[in-house]
Amino acid sequence: MSTSPDSDDLLGNGRTREHEPRSGHPPVSAAAARARVSEVLLRAGVGLDTPSVADALLVTSELVTNAIRHGGGVTAFRAVVAEDLLSLSIGDASPLVPAARTGTVERPGGFGWPLVQRLAERVECRTHSDGKTISTVLRLS
């Protein structure tokens, strides 16, 4: 999957309905990112009250929070629904790829990246000259 996925690439069948808000600026918080993804889902006719949507919003929160906390901020954001898949790509300014770690008393956490990998159907991290982009695909049904 590319860092700016085309819905045809996601489905491989040429039958797509792409839904994406037209905001050009990346969200500045996890709450703003969840709102943007919720808008995309609603435009696509996806209800927000399913476990798979809760998972998608959790993945959104984790990736955006990590981009803000560890990656120098969100530099790119894209959420697209095609059929029953959500493609989510988040860029940040750090070329360091995420790694699972065990939290400690002094440095709690370490659960987010394994959680993203477990909930998403596909996860890809690509580094580039000005940071990295993490792309995920989540099934909505």
Side-chain angles (χ1 to χ4, degrees):
M1 179 174 60
S2 68
T3 57
S4 55
D6 174 292
S7 52
D8 286 340
D9 292 338
L10 292 175
L11 301 175
N13 62 13
R15 294 179 300 118
T16 63
R17 279 186 343 182
E18 206 172 286
H19 300 273
E20 180 177 19
R22 299 295 172 218
S23 175
H25 301 291
V28 296
S29 69
R34 286 190 310 273
R36 180 115 34 115
V37 169
S38 295
E39 177 188 347
V40 169
L41 294 169
L42 289 171
R43 284 180 179 208
V46 177
L48 301 181
D49 59 349
T50 65
S52 59
V53 168
D55 290 348
L57 295 175
L58 180 57
V59 167
T60 301
S61 289
E62 283 295 330
L63 292 177
V64 169
T65 298
N66 286 345
I68 293 167
R69 183 175 293 158
H70 306 292
V74 178
T75 59
F77 183 91
R78 184 165 188 216
V80 177
V81 173
E83 300 298 325
D84 68 340
L85 299 174
L86 171 67
S87 172
L88 181 63
S89 295
I90 297 170
D92 67 39
S94 172
L96 299 176
V97 297
R101 67 174 181 83
T102 304
T104 64
V105 173
E106 298 82 26
R107 192 171 168 217
F111 301 105
W113 184 240
L115 184 66
V116 167
Q117 292 177 308
R118 184 173 183 180
L119 294 176
E121 196 163 294
R122 284 183 275 181
V123 178
E124 180 178 88
C125 185
R126 290 190 178 188
T127 60
H128 39 80
S129 62
D130 55 350
K132 70 178 164 295
T133 301
I134 298 175
S135 299
T136 62
V137 175
L138 296 110
R139 187 156 303 280
L140 296 171
S141 59

